[in-house]
Amino acid sequence: MIIDAPRGSAMTPKPFSPEEIQRILGSLQRPAVFLNITCDWPVLLWTVDHLSRCLGGKAVRFRMGRRQHEKKTPLFETQCSYVEARLEEFQSWTEGQTGAEDVGCFSNYPLSLYWAYADYKYIALLLQEKPSMFEDVVWSQFGFPGRNGRDSTLWIGTEGANTPCHLDSYGYNLVLQVQGRKRWHLFPPADTGCLYPSRIPYEESSVFSQVDVLQPDLQRFPAFRHARAYTVTLQPGQVLFVPRHWWHYVESIDPVTVSVNSWIELEVDDEARVGEALTKAIVCALKTTPSDDNDDDWLNPTEVGLVGHDENMQYLNLAVGACMEKRGTTSHRDQQTQDTPACPGAKRDSRGQAKNTSSSSRPAEGSSSSSSSSSTPSTVPFGPHLIPVTWNQITKQETTEQNPKDQDGPSPSRDCDIIRPSSVTQSTPLKPVSGSGAQHQHGGEGISSSSSASDPQVLPQPGCRDRGRPSPGDRDQGEGDRAHCLVSITTNDLLQCLVHPEVIARVTELLMERQSQVRHSHSHNTIAS
């Protein structure tokens, strides 16, 4: 889907007030793109050329990936190279210069063979010497007073730079495109089983897919043919809303791209944080144990250092305690508002601390997405200023893999639907995201879904039925030639089962139930004595 619209001008009135955007965010149940909101944001001037002048000689870490990567396997961050370089050198490299005096470390990486990505750069650290630039990012216009660049992340890449398909464990995501275009491929939480989740490589708060979603190996991952891709090309000035637990693969499609995002935490993330602490304890315990098959690069480069099992268990106990405390102080009525934003900032770890950020991030003030507390269906004002991301029901994958006889015919575009703002004019009713719906832990492979069961766009498909597990036919198709041989179970195979999202969700429930029983018993004994 391509959304084409002018940015507008600084004098153009905003189509939605901050309060209206908060109501919209509380009701949206699928990805959507906001237009004509950011036309007067100074951050739109943050091109690579501008940032290069602002940062001066400050080095930035870039991830380098080969353009001709082995097909049908994701290129994880553990398989990439890394260089430290100035933005001035990066800019010269993207312009075709090759001399080491001009491009520095990039001279070892021909632009025709490699892409570069300065991803996940916390603006609070990158621009700490220029704090006035934080105000260039005006998330307050989305109803988050006080939220700005300090609570945001910067992404700079070349054409081909990409983020492996994954879901974020906490909150939802707002993404502003500043320079160039990026193509987003999104999949609903109900399709988790079709995406074959994995925690190797391990990164806290990220669950990766084992599938190369652009060129899937359908013999290894047969259920992926049933996954539904919602695809959109994000252009400068547009803001993409990524709902909680939606899978996404992101690729840069222009020579240079710049984007800024902010993760919005939710109250319901307290329980997810318990699951993340549990996952970390299990993964680290098994992967740090010496064994013949524990020789892989299992820790994502974004994870800084390892701690011992005792400290991981301490984190788990703290996460459980915090969640129990929240449950104890939240009434049944308050449970209906657990999908409201909690506090701003970057991604958080299992302790609730911002990852790789300074301690200067502060809680949001004022309004939040209060409409999610209502049980009355809201109306989302889709139209020229708010475009829903659509499901591509006909994909290149289906054409080449499922219908070989049609290969000689015209093949569909990667962006199957081209939507102009004028083509979507009427409002679409959607039920708001309620607390009870968000806490339904098993609708999407053990992951809380922001989707409503009444929304046909996010219901499980036949191949993802039974909580997203592949159907027997799908399993047989991929395993028929292995039916009569035994394969050794590796540590990673064991982990795929132990930290599968559905298993972690169930163990989290058991831990919380046990804590409730222990606390109730302790309280009863105290009263009795």
Side-chain angles (χ1 to χ4, degrees):
M1 182 175 74
I2 298 176
I3 299 171
D4 187 14
R7 289 187 189 173
S9 67
M11 301 302 294
T12 303
K14 299 302 174 66
F16 307 114
S17 69
E19 295 75 20
E20 288 172 327
I21 291 181
Q22 282 289 297
R23 182 188 63 78
I24 292 169
L25 293 176
S27 298
L28 279 171
Q29 298 175 16
R30 59 164 142 170
V33 178
F34 290 86
L35 290 82
N36 305 317
I37 303 292
T38 67
C39 50
D40 56 353
W41 290 21
V43 69
L44 291 182
L45 300 176
W46 286 21
T47 63
V48 168
D49 182 61
H50 176 77
L51 291 171
S52 176
R53 293 194 299 270
C54 293
L55 291 175
K58 189 168 187 176
V60 177
R61 193 187 196 203
F62 287 85
R63 177 162 59 96
M64 310 299 297
R66 290 193 66 91
R67 297 184 184 276
Q68 299 300 323
H69 174 64
E70 180 184 353
K71 302 299 183 182
K72 297 192 175 183
T73 58
L75 181 62
F76 291 117
E77 294 163 60
T78 52
Q79 301 167 285
C80 295
S81 303
Y82 293 83
V83 300
E84 299 276 341
R86 294 179 286 113
L87 280 185
E88 181 182 3
E89 295 171 330
F90 169 77
Q91 188 174 12
S92 297
W93 182 64
T94 62
E95 293 171 351
Q97 299 184 43
T98 58
E101 66 278 6
D102 298 316
V103 302
C105 297
F106 289 112
S107 61
N108 298 319
Y109 299 89
L111 182 60
S112 60
L113 299 179
Y114 290 88
W115 50 256
Y117 208 7
D119 50 358
Y120 225 125
K121 304 306 175 192
Y122 290 105
I123 295 174
L125 298 179
L126 190 65
L127 298 174
Q128 55 186 337
E129 292 85 10
K130 295 181 178 292
S132 62
M133 291 183 67
F134 297 157
E135 303 301 325
D136 291 358
V137 187
V138 197
W139 293 119
S140 59
Q141 293 187 11
F142 273 74
F144 300 102
R147 182 187 287 267
N148 55 29
R150 188 188 302 274
D151 312 304
S152 305
T153 311
L154 182 69
W155 309 71
I156 303 171
T158 64
E159 184 271 327
N162 63 81
T163 302
C165 186
H166 68 286
L167 67 78
D168 299 313
S169 302
Y170 309 135
Y172 61 79
N173 198 359
L174 292 174
V175 187
L176 166 66
Q177 194 62 28
V178 175
Q179 180 180 1
R181 298 169 300 156
K182 280 185 174 177
R183 182 175 287 119
W184 285 71
H185 306 258
L186 303 111
F187 303 87
D191 287 2
T192 290
C194 303
L195 287 153
Y196 298 84
S198 173
R199 297 312 298 259
I200 302 295
Y202 173 76
E203 176 184 273
E204 186 161 353
S205 78
S206 294
V207 183
F208 290 102
S209 170
Q210 299 178 61
V211 184
D212 179 345
V213 298
L214 296 188
Q215 299 197 37
D217 184 342
L218 294 179
Q219 286 208 320
R220 287 187 62 198
F221 309 113
F224 182 73
R225 62 168 47 89
H226 303 293
R228 292 156 295 168
Y230 291 64
T231 306
V232 64
T233 299
L234 199 64
Q235 304 191 51
Q238 299 176 351
V239 175
L240 173 65
F241 165 71
V242 182
R244 186 173 191 260
H245 288 164
W246 274 68
W247 294 84
H248 47 284
Y249 170 86
V250 190
E251 56 178 339
S252 297
I253 60 174
D254 279 333
V256 176
T257 63
V258 177
S259 53
V260 171
N261 84 295
S262 193
W263 284 281
I264 314 297
E265 291 192 14
L266 302 170
E267 293 292 341
V268 74
D269 290 339
D270 289 320
E271 189 162 327
R273 194 164 286 115
V274 175
E276 282 300 303
L278 175 62
T279 298
K280 185 174 185 178
I282 295 172
V283 171
C284 290
L286 283 179
K287 293 302 292 183
T288 58
T289 300
S291 67
D292 292 339
D293 66 351
N294 261 346
D295 58 354
D296 56 330
D297 292 325
W298 62 275
L299 190 65
N300 221 41
T302 53
E303 294 296 308
V304 181
L306 290 172
V307 298
H309 185 66
D310 288 342
E311 191 168 348
N312 282 333
M313 291 303 298
Q314 182 182 3
Y315 295 159
L316 176 58
N317 279 282
L318 288 172
V320 171
C323 191
M324 292 298 299
E325 192 70 23
K326 183 64 66 67
R327 284 187 175 185
T329 57
T330 304
S331 67
H332 177 71
R333 177 178 55 83
D334 292 335
Q335 290 288 334
Q336 298 299 314
T337 63
Q338 281 199 348
D339 269 356
T340 57
C343 58
K347 280 190 173 181
R348 305 271 170 162
D349 58 24
S350 57
R351 296 167 288 171
Q353 301 298 313
K355 298 175 66 176
N356 302 327
T357 63
S358 65
S359 59
S360 57
S361 294
R362 57 189 181 279
E365 306 167 9
S367 66
S368 64
S369 191
S370 59
S371 66
S372 60
S373 62
S374 173
S375 59
T376 303
S378 298
T379 299
V380 177
F382 290 132
H385 308 295
L386 179 63
I387 311 295
V389 179
T390 56
W391 168 27
N392 296 337
Q393 299 189 50
I394 301 177
T395 67
K396 184 177 180 180
Q397 166 205 329
E398 291 174 336
T399 301
T400 58
E401 297 286 351
Q402 291 184 267
N403 301 307
K405 63 181 181 180
D406 296 333
Q407 288 187 27
D408 295 333
S411 88
S413 164
R414 288 271 295 280
D415 295 304
C416 293
D417 301 305
I418 299 180
I419 293 187
R420 310 297 178 189
S422 59
S423 67
V424 184
T425 56
Q426 65 181 21
S427 299
T428 302
L430 287 177
K431 290 186 178 179
V433 183
S434 66
S436 59
Q439 296 180 59
H440 182 65
Q441 293 291 322
H442 298 297
E445 201 62 58
I447 296 179
S448 302
S449 171
S450 60
S451 305
S452 167
S454 63
D455 184 356
Q457 295 282 5
V458 293
L459 290 176
Q461 295 295 90
C464 297
R465 65 177 177 267
D466 191 17
R467 299 180 186 172
R469 284 189 290 267
S471 65
D474 286 336
R475 290 195 297 266
D476 292 344
Q477 178 178 337
E479 298 175 1
D481 56 351
R482 299 192 295 271
H484 301 292
C485 64
L486 294 177
V487 179
S488 296
I489 298 173
T490 66
T491 301
N492 287 352
D493 293 334
L494 180 60
L495 279 172
Q496 298 291 14
C497 299
L498 291 178
V499 296
H500 189 282
E502 190 175 57
V503 175
I504 290 296
R506 179 55 183 148
V507 175
T508 297
E509 290 177 353
L510 292 173
L511 284 175
M512 301 301 292
E513 290 172 6
R514 180 180 181 278
Q515 282 295 111
S516 295
Q517 294 170 358
V518 170
R519 291 193 177 198
H520 178 75
S521 177
H522 177 74
S523 176
H524 178 77
N525 292 337
T526 301
I527 295 174
S529 61

